[in-house]
């Protein structure tokens, strides 16, 4: 299964990988201590993880169980790095919402030329 | 509908500012245009009747324009407009505009626009919150120590944004993209300074006001154009301050670091490709052509602002000729015993020669002038 996890989601996953299953409440406490997230923010991220199939929610007490293993993500990140080097693929929040609008090399050159001319 | 009047009124001064921006954008301090836009925004947001009662307005008028007697309240003039049976397109339009349906449409449109902005903001805000605060970065910690404000600034890193940005009014957070090149201390310093200026000037708050403006005047394409341009001018004037701080020599380095950032990323700022590409080019040119503060430039800027104030003061009330026109076209009667604020309209243009007069009762001390009619045939 191919799941792309962002840094914020990896923060949650890291804790689950280290500590094993935790309740959402415990997670919010740990993340608050470690990086200062508030409750809402942590829940936002946990929900994202559940949606992506990285975490399974077990009742009662909203226990979070990691479905994806650490190795899976590590392996995936390596392939992605290779992808990035060769294709330059990017997955950004804005890119999906708004038009992809990467500047071409010639446009960059043009801008640099403007700087040079006006120097 | 007074919002239409406001929109039309403000459009005149808006167009003037637009033209000035096209002509002398890089010749005056960038702040100038923020002030000019501020004047336009004031006109768009505050109803004339609201500030005409303040003493500032007559004062301005006396300063800059030959005094014209301005009697007749907004209310009355509006009624005259409605009463028009003149066949000119404008008057027909006004009639349509006052219908309930159009008002309903206006409100729905405004709510729609507002909702769009709010939803987008909530979505981004939630996402921004999940950024990871930077801890134990010596350079950044030192920088934060050196630039203390009454509000605490936080710096966080996100892998979901492409350009640095700032959010939050009371607890500002500077978000840096994960792709930031941490070795490049000069660039980072530029970025942080730029964002700090945004924070100091409460630019987020200004953008909120801009959004309200666009929601109220969503039917006016000029206001949308203004919205985009003000957003740009905020950036331009911010760039200017950075350069002032680092000195003229930093111009090229700053411009190049902007280009490099754009190189690594997607442009985020706008809905339309052409616009944003133009945007960065405009920014680069603006930075490179920045001049040192000069007496001439400042004087010119002052002239522009005073000019803007003049237009501001001169519009928004009916010009004398227009008034004459209206007098000829409408006949208004208010029952002297009628104490309501709505004047009643009885007849309109009789005969080929439209001769009617509005006489304000001199003994009347209320703000609402009572009108007596003499209809000369």
């Amino acid at each position: 299964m191919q799941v792309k996890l962002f840094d914020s989601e990896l923060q949650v996953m890291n804790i689950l990988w280290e500590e094993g299953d935790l309740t959402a409440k415990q997670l919010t406490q740990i993340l608050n201590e470690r990086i200062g997230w508030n409750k809402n923010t942590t829940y936002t991220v946990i929900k994202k993880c559940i949606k992506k199939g990285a975490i399974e929610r077990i009742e009662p007490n909203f226990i979070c169980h990691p479905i994806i293993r650490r190795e899976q993500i590590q392996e995936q990140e390596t392939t992605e790095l290779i992808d990035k080097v060769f294709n330059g693929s990017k997955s950004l929040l804005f890119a999906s919402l708004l038009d992809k609008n990467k500047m071409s090399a010639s446009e960059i050159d043009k801008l640099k030329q403007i700087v040079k001319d006006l120097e | 509908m007074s919002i239409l009047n406001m929109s039309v009124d403000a459009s005149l001064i808006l167009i003037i500012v637009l033209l000035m921006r096209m002509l002398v954008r890089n010749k005056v301090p960038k702040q100038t245009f923020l002030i000019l836009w501020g004047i336009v925004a004031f006109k768009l947001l505050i109803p004339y009747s609201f500030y005409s009662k303040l003493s500032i307005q007559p004062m301005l008028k006396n300063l800059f324009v030959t005094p014209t007697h301005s009697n007749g309240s907004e209310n009355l003039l509006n009624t005259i407009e409605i009463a028009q049976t003149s066949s000119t397109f404008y008057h027909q339009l006004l009639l349509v505009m006052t219908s309930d349906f159009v008002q309903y449409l206006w409100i729905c449109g405004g709510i729609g626009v507002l909702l769009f902005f709010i939803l987008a903001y909530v979505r981004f805000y939630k996402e921004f919150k999940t950024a990871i605060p930077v801890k134990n970065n010596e350079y950044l910690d030192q920088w934060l120590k050196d630039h203390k404000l009454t509000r605490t600034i936080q710096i966080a890193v996100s892998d979901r944004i492409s350009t640095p940005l700032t959010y939050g009014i009371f607890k500002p957070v500077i978000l840096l993209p994960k792709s930031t090149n941490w070795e490049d201390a000069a660039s980072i310093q530029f970025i942080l300074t730029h964002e700090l200026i945004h924070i100091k000037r409460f630019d987020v708050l200004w953008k909120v006001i801009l959004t309200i403006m666009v929601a109220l005047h969503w039917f006016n394409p000029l206001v949308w154009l203004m919205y985009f341009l003000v957003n740009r001018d905020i950036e331009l004037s911010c760039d200017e301050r950075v350069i002032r701080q680092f000195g003229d020599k930093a111009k090229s380095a700053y411009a190049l670091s902007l280009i490099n950032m754009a190189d690594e990323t997607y442009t985020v700022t706008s809905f339309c490709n052409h616009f944003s590409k133009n945007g960065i080019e405009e920014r680069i040119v603006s930075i490179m052509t920045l001049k040192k503060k000069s007496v001439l430039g400042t004087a010119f800027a002052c002239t522009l602002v005073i000019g803007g104030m003049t237009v501001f003061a001169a519009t928004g009330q009916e010009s004398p000729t227009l008034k004459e026109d209206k007098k000829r076209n409408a006949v208004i009667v208010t029952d002297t015993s009628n104490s309501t604020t709505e004047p009643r309209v009885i007849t309109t243009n009789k005969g080929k020669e439209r001769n009617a007069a509005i006489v304000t009762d001199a003994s009347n001390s209320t703000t609402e002038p009572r009108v007596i009619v003499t209809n000369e045939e």
Side-chain angles (χ1 to χ4, degrees), chain B residues 119-331:
Chain B
L119 287 179
Y121 181 77
V122 167
R123 197 185 148 180
F124 285 130
Y125 184 80
K126 268 191 174 173
E127 206 66 62
F128 293 158
K129 286 290 263 189
T130 66
I132 294 139
V134 181
K135 274 184 182 164
N136 307 321
N137 179 319
E138 250 176 68
Y139 181 83
L140 294 181
D141 287 345
Q142 187 56 43
W143 186 87
L144 282 175
K145 240 181 234 167
D146 293 342
H147 300 86
K148 275 230 157 85
L149 297 179
T150 38
R151 294 167 282 164
T152 14
I153 304 174
Q154 205 183 43
I155 300 177
V157 174
S158 169
D159 57 347
R160 312 211 56 191
I161 55 162
S162 50
T163 41
L165 59 92
T166 303
Y167 74 95
I169 297 172
F170 303 110
K171 280 188 196 163
V173 180
I174 298 177
L175 270 193
L176 300 173
K178 201 187 180 187
S179 58
T180 306
N181 180 3
W182 299 97
E183 315 278 277
D184 190 357
S187 275
I188 290 176
Q189 213 182 352
F190 286 142
I191 294 169
L192 292 177
T193 310
H194 181 101
E195 299 303 330
L196 183 71
I197 291 165
H198 279 314
I199 294 170
K200 275 187 183 164
R201 294 198 309 194
F202 288 93
D203 281 343
V204 180
L205 200 66
W206 292 116
K207 288 189 181 188
V208 172
I209 295 173
L210 270 182
T211 308
I212 294 169
M213 185 189 82
V214 141
L216 285 173
H217 295 270
W218 59 268
F219 53 86
N220 187 343
L222 282 171
V223 176
W224 283 96
L225 184 61
M226 171 178 167
Y227 174 81
F228 284 111
L229 289 179
V230 176
N231 271 313
R232 270 200 207 175
D233 283 345
I234 287 174
E235 291 307 319
L236 293 186
S237 97
C238 209
D239 289 339
E240 184 181 53
R241 290 252 193 125
V242 175
I243 298 301
R244 294 259 178 277
Q245 204 162 320
F246 285 93
D248 253 18
K249 281 180 191 147
K251 282 199 294 202
S252 306
Y254 184 62
L256 286 173
S257 84
L258 275 184
I259 297 172
N260 285 334
M261 233 181 308
D263 185 12
E264 283 165 22
T265 59
Y266 298 93
T267 39
V268 181
T269 38
S270 80
F271 301 97
C272 156
N273 291 348
H274 182 69
F275 221 85
S276 58
K277 267 175 200 160
N278 260 350
I280 181 137
E281 194 176 320
E282 183 184 72
R283 239 177 121 178
I284 301 294
V285 173
S286 149
I287 291 163
M288 294 309 293
T289 54
L290 268 183
K291 292 180 184 66
K292 282 197 183 116
K293 265 188 188 159
S294 68
V295 182
L296 205 71
T298 316
F300 192 36
C302 287
T303 319
L304 279 182
V305 172
I306 290 172
M309 299 277 230
T310 314
V311 180
F312 175 84
T315 53
Q317 47 172 320
E318 309 292 305
S319 63
T321 47
L322 248 175
K323 251 188 223 159
E324 283 305 315
D325 206 35
K326 293 222 165 97
K327 279 178 195 168
R328 237 177 286 132
N329 281 326
V331 177

Side-chain angles (χ1 to χ4, degrees), chain A residues 42-100:
Chain A
T42 305
Y43 273 99
T44 309
V45 180
I46 292 174
K47 274 181 205 150
K48 268 258 169 68
C49 289
I50 294 173
K51 212 169 149 196
K52 285 184 176 180
I55 289 177
E56 189 189 359
R57 174 180 176 167
I58 303 168
E59 292 299 346
N61 296 333
F62 204 142
I63 294 168
C64 299
H65 170 73
I67 302 173
I68 293 175
R69 283 172 300 115
R70 186 174 241 164
E71 295 74 35
Q72 253 173 297
I73 293 292
Q74 277 165 348
E75 189 186 315
Q76 200 180 304
E77 274 179 350
T78 321
T79 26
E80 212 169 85
L81 187 70
I82 295 166
D83 272 355
K84 244 180 212 172
V85 172
F86 291 102
N87 295 326
S89 77
K90 285 200 173 180
S91 44
L92 288 163
L93 167 66
F94 296 103
S96 58
L97 193 78
L98 304 169
D99 281 334
K100 281 182 189 171

Side-chain angles (χ1 to χ4, degrees), chain B residues 26-41:
Chain B
N26 290 326
K27 302 222 164 48
V28 292
K30 301 291 180 287
Q31 196 100 36
T32 318
F33 282 101
L34 289 188
I35 298 173
L36 289 174
W37 288 130
I39 295 173
V40 181

